Amino acid sequence: MENSASIAKERLSLLFDNGTFTELDALRTEKDSAAAVVCAHGFVEGQAVCAFAQSSDVKDGIMGKNTAGKIKRLLSLAAKTGTPIVGVYDSNGVFVDGTADSLSAYGKLIASAANLSGVVPQISVIAGVCAGSAALMACEADFVLATKKAELCLTPAYGTDSASPETAAKIGLVAEVCEDDAAAMMQVKALLRTLPANNLAGAPISEFDVPEQAVSKANLLDGIADMGSLMPLYSAYGETVETALATIRGTAVGLISTAKSDAALTADDAAKIARFVRTCDAFSIPVITLLDTIGFTDDTDAAKAGSLRAITQLCGAYAEATTVKISVITGLACGAAFSAIAGRGAGSDLVFAWNDAVIAPLKPEAAVEFLWHDKLKGAADVNAKRKSLADEYGKTLASATKAAELGVIDTVIAPADTRQALIDALDMLEGKRVSRMPKKHSNIPF
């Protein structure tokens, strides 16, 4: 029986080089009809890739035991060959025949995808309806993309805002909402160009152009990354933080910046960073953290009570990561934010600081109240005096030079020298080796 899944094949054609691919299990059927998924392997910009696309034009893409079997075989092939997996989701659910057969099939797929996590890159593209067990499997991927026509939910909420791709992006499930299928596949290709084929392979090396402008506060990530290589991810989630994949001198890196706004880091910001660090670490992509923040939000009211848990997860993500970790203090580094994100205690291999950076246990204004309260007595304008003392504190006890003298950071650099300092550090740390105590896994709070 010929598989007439034209929508699925069209989407795969947008992904694979020259629109060509080799289909697997093309004749497998589901209840006397073609199985509602196309599974294939081929090349994406010269790299071997396995991919499947659900076929909404075959019985609405309904999943059954044999359809799930096609996908499971593809996942097994990817595991054997160390090949990235791309899944395109567009299905109205599973066959409902009163039995648990379809549920069991999806359960096996979810387990297979989970076992592959951290072994080969997995990218999900939500191109239509993705609900229930399908949503669970799709969201296990390293990166989830969605088109504007996507509907993503655990329980039926079709056509509502809760199932919209924009909502999924705001809660951190979707890395980027794309205009259409073609745009989504272009984003998949960009990710595959940056990611290694598997956890044992080195990241691709690409040609690069030097950025036109030097690094500055106004030109931070663009000044560090090779020209045109910056790929922002999760922009709608954790809005105080920027996370992006990029290349520096042709080598893939993960960039994290807390300088997007002057606000304190929230629970969402912490969760966003932690997830990104773990993704980079799974595939040995160096993590470069650019820290400029007054610290974390407090837990003084119920609305913010989740921040401590998220920050603890963040600490665990940095501490566990064995990939190359480099930190640059580009402004304020106050309190627990320095300890959790950028300091040597967080496992940073090298810590740089700009020459005007401030590294302190408290915000400068609070430190003045604690250390130099007597100097405020008798001031004609207490606020002006406090600001003056805070500036003095930032240039003395909390200065980057003082931190270097104490051995808290490695060196002080000028902002314009940041890219070259990172290039030199990446070269030196290329052969990094880490041994860990044997254990099943850590037990940080989720």
Side-chain angles (χ1 to χ4, degrees):
M1 179 180 295
E2 182 181 355
N3 190 337
S4 61
S6 60
I7 291 178
K9 290 183 177 180
E10 286 173 7
R11 287 167 173 161
L12 292 177
S13 294
L14 292 170
L15 172 65
F16 287 106
D17 294 346
N18 301 316
T20 61
F21 52 85
T22 301
E23 190 172 349
L24 297 173
D25 283 351
L27 301 181
R28 190 183 291 207
T29 60
E30 186 78 66
K31 298 186 184 299
D32 299 323
S33 178
V37 68
V38 175
C39 295
H41 66 87
F43 293 91
V44 177
E45 300 194 0
Q47 176 174 297
V49 171
C50 290
F52 68 85
Q54 291 183 315
S55 310
S56 59
D57 53 349
V58 176
K59 291 188 175 180
D60 291 327
I62 296 298
M63 176 74 78
K65 182 177 181 180
N66 283 350
T67 305
K70 288 183 68 171
I71 299 175
K72 191 172 187 304
R73 181 168 181 270
L74 187 75
L75 297 178
S76 298
L77 181 63
K80 291 177 182 177
T81 59
T83 305
I85 282 280
V86 177
V88 184
Y89 292 81
D90 185 3
S91 166
N92 282 321
V94 299
F95 280 107
V96 179
D97 58 6
T99 74
D101 205 27
S102 296
L103 294 178
S104 176
Y106 246 131
K108 293 177 181 177
L109 283 181
I110 292 170
S112 294
N115 288 332
L116 264 180
S117 180
V119 178
V120 300
Q122 297 183 64
I123 303 172
S124 295
V125 177
I126 315 301
V129 175
C130 182
S133 297
L136 294 177
M137 181 180 173
C139 292
E140 283 186 324
D142 300 295
F143 298 101
V144 181
L145 309 176
T147 69
K148 289 188 174 180
K149 293 182 179 179
E151 295 185 49
L152 178 64
C153 54
L154 184 59
T155 55
Y158 310 133
T160 68
D161 288 342
S162 63
S164 73
E166 290 79 12
T167 297
K170 287 180 180 178
I171 62 174
L173 281 177
V174 167
E176 183 175 344
V177 178
C178 305
E179 184 67 30
D180 52 26
D181 292 345
M185 292 309 173
M186 289 296 290
Q187 184 69 6
V188 172
K189 291 180 182 182
L191 286 167
L192 291 174
R193 279 196 300 269
T194 307
L195 298 169
N198 54 66
N199 64 333
L200 299 179
I205 303 297
S206 60
E207 295 183 356
F208 67 94
D209 292 317
V210 176
E212 293 179 346
Q213 297 178 329
V215 178
S216 67
K217 283 188 180 294
N219 187 48
L220 189 54
L221 298 187
D222 285 319
I224 289 172
D226 295 337
M227 187 184 300
S229 73
L230 193 66
M231 194 189 324
L233 298 164
Y234 304 101
S235 300
Y237 175 60
E239 296 181 15
T240 305
V241 169
E242 292 177 279
T243 53
L245 289 174
T247 63
I248 294 180
R249 209 174 63 176
T251 301
V253 296
L255 297 175
I256 299 166
S257 170
T258 66
K260 191 174 180 181
S261 79
D262 294 332
L265 301 178
T266 66
D268 283 353
D269 294 320
K272 175 178 177 175
I273 298 172
R275 167 67 170 162
F276 189 70
V277 168
R278 286 174 62 83
T279 301
C280 291
D281 184 52
F283 300 105
S284 299
I285 297 172
V287 173
I288 296 172
T289 304
L290 306 158
L291 187 65
D292 181 2
T293 179
I294 58 174
F296 296 110
T297 55
D298 56 39
D299 286 348
T300 55
D301 61 71
K304 299 176 181 177
S307 61
L308 178 57
R309 181 177 61 189
I311 295 162
T312 305
Q313 293 170 359
L314 175 60
C315 292
Y318 269 101
E320 279 194 326
T322 59
T323 191
V324 170
K325 292 174 286 186
I326 304 169
S327 301
V328 184
I329 315 302
T330 63
L332 282 173
C334 295
F338 177 79
S339 304
I341 297 176
R344 288 175 177 167
S348 291
D349 300 298
L350 288 172
V351 184
F352 304 130
W354 286 2
N355 42 28
D356 60 349
V358 175
I359 304 166
L362 301 170
K363 289 185 289 186
E365 292 78 6
V368 166
E369 290 288 352
F370 184 78
L371 297 172
W372 296 343
H373 184 74
D374 289 346
K375 295 183 180 182
L376 293 171
K377 293 179 180 178
D381 186 336
V382 174
N383 289 334
K385 182 64 173 177
R386 184 184 294 108
K387 184 179 184 305
S388 175
L389 289 172
D391 290 341
E392 180 185 347
Y393 172 73
K395 294 175 181 177
T396 54
L397 294 179
S399 70
T401 301
K402 185 65 175 179
E405 291 173 355
L406 295 171
V408 174
I409 65 173
D410 289 289
T411 191
V412 180
I413 60 174
D417 296 332
T418 304
R419 177 177 160 90
Q420 188 58 52
L422 291 173
I423 289 172
D424 294 341
L426 289 169
D427 283 345
M428 190 268 285
L429 293 167
E430 185 177 4
K432 177 183 176 182
R433 299 289 184 269
V434 176
S435 297
R436 295 292 197 194
M437 295 177 65
K439 60 180 179 181
K440 288 186 71 175
H441 56 74
S442 66
N443 195 26
I444 59 174
F446 279 94

